[in-house]
Amino acid sequence: GRDKASDLSLQLRILPSGMRINSADWDIHEAELSIADGHIRIDGFGFSNGDQGISINGCIDRNGGDSLRVDMERFGIDLLNPLLPDNMQLSGSATGSALLVSPIASPDLNLDIVCDSAAIGGVNLGLLTARCHFDKTFKRFEAQINNLYEGQLRLDGHAFYTPSSQMLEADARFNGFNLGIAKPFVGEIFNEIGGELSGSLRYDSTPGRYRIASENLRLDNGLLSLLFTNVPYTVNGPLEIDTEGAHFKGISLKDRENGTGTLDGSILF
C-alpha cells in the first residue's frame, strides 16, 4: 500500500516455520517487517536451534535516528562455512551483540562478541573476543580483538579506522600465538605452516600507501614447508616483517632427517 501519494509502503508478517542448515533443523521465529519510503523496521526476526540462536530487531532510516540490533546466543559460526573457501573451516560458538546506529545517515557501531572453542582451518584458538565502537571525539572506529588460549593471552590486537581520511591503523602483540591459522591465507606459498609467534606487528595505511613493521618478532617450534620444495622444516628464531616482505636472519632449521642449518633471506610480497 501507500502511506502518501509518493510513499510506497509494505508490511510483511513471517509466521513460525523451520529450515534445515548444515544437516540441522532450525526454527524460524514469528516476525514483522515493514518498509516505507526510506524506512525499514524489523521486529522479532530470528532463528534458533536448541540453545543457539540469532535475532535481529530495529530499524534503518535514511534520515537517521535509527538503530539495528543483532543478538547472538551460542551461535555456531560453522554456519558461515558454505560461504567461505573450503580451507577456512570455521568453528566455535559466538555470544554477544552488535548495535548499528544510523547505518545510512551517520554510521555508528557498538559490537561486543565472545566466541568460545573457536577454530580456523582446524586450528584450535580457544576464546576469541571482539569489540568495536565509534569514538565521537576523534570521529573514528576503534576495535579490539583478543585471544585467550590455555589460560594465557596469546593475541592482543587494536585497530582504528577514520572514515574521513580512510586511514587505518592497527597493531597486534603476540605471545605464543598459533601461526597455523595463517595456512588458509598463505596456501599459495606454504603447504604447511605452524608454530608459536611472539612479538608485535604494526600496520597503517591511507589511500595509495601502506606500511608494515615488526618488533621483537620470533617463531618457536615452527613448521614451514614451501610448496616448491614440499620439505617440512622445524624452525626457531627471529624474523622481521615489513612492507617488502618477511626477512629471516639467522633462523635455525631442522629437516625430518635431523639435518640442521641456518636461514638468511627474504620472502618478498
Side-chain angles (χ1 to χ4, degrees):
R2 292 181 181 272
D3 294 329
K4 300 177 183 178
S6 59
D7 293 347
L8 177 66
S9 67
L10 177 66
Q11 289 187 324
L12 298 175
R13 184 180 181 187
I14 301 174
L15 298 177
S17 59
M19 62 180 174
R20 194 166 181 82
I21 305 176
N22 289 356
S23 301
D25 293 322
W26 287 76
D27 295 322
I28 301 176
H29 303 167
E30 183 175 354
E32 292 186 356
L33 172 67
S34 61
I35 303 173
D37 186 45
H39 182 93
I40 301 174
R41 182 170 186 82
I42 303 170
D43 290 310
F45 178 76
F47 50 97
S48 61
N49 174 297
D51 63 351
Q52 62 175 322
I54 185 169
S55 63
I56 303 174
N57 291 276
C59 60
I60 300 173
D61 194 306
R62 65 186 178 190
N63 297 316
D66 56 320
S67 64
L68 187 69
R69 182 182 178 95
V70 179
D71 290 288
M72 291 178 286
E73 183 67 33
R74 298 194 57 79
F75 183 71
I77 62 174
D78 58 296
L79 289 178
L80 301 175
N81 286 332
L83 307 175
L84 301 172
D86 291 340
N87 57 1
M88 287 293 291
Q89 289 302 301
L90 301 180
S91 63
S93 300
T95 298
S97 63
L99 179 65
L100 187 59
V101 180
S102 298
I104 297 177
S106 179
D108 188 1
L109 174 66
N110 285 284
L111 180 144
D112 192 343
I113 294 176
V114 176
C115 187
D116 191 19
S117 303
I120 300 176
V123 176
N124 294 324
L125 293 175
L127 190 71
L128 282 176
T129 61
R131 296 180 175 89
C132 181
H133 74 280
F134 187 76
D135 188 317
K136 295 181 179 179
T137 301
F138 295 100
K139 293 181 171 56
R140 67 183 184 183
F141 290 96
E142 299 185 359
Q144 180 180 4
I145 183 169
N146 297 123
N147 173 219
L148 187 68
Y149 183 67
E150 294 185 340
Q152 294 193 46
L153 185 62
R154 304 295 184 176
L155 166 65
D156 182 20
H158 301 262
F160 307 91
Y161 177 69
T162 306
S164 59
S165 62
Q166 299 182 50
M167 175 181 287
L168 174 63
E169 303 169 273
D171 65 81
R173 291 183 291 276
F174 304 95
N175 175 32
F177 183 70
N178 194 330
L179 193 60
I181 71 162
K183 186 176 179 180
F185 309 100
V186 297
E188 295 182 356
I189 302 174
F190 301 99
N191 55 8
E192 292 290 343
I193 184 170
E196 302 165 359
L197 184 68
S198 299
S200 62
L201 277 173
R202 181 172 178 81
Y203 173 90
D204 61 80
S205 68
T206 53
R209 182 197 65 83
Y210 74 94
R211 182 177 58 183
I212 304 173
S214 64
E215 183 177 358
N216 299 324
L217 206 62
R218 67 173 290 112
L219 183 62
D220 294 301
N221 304 312
L223 173 66
L224 294 177
S225 177
L226 290 168
L227 273 176
F228 68 87
T229 65
N230 202 32
V231 177
Y233 293 95
T234 301
V235 182
N236 290 277
L239 66 152
E240 180 181 339
I241 298 178
D242 59 24
T243 309
E244 296 181 350
H247 312 283
F248 308 96
K249 299 179 179 179
I251 199 166
S252 65
L253 299 177
K254 179 187 290 187
D255 63 20
R256 54 192 168 194
E257 302 297 329
N258 289 322
T260 60
T262 302
L263 175 64
D264 291 277
S266 300
I267 298 176
L268 302 181
F269 298 148

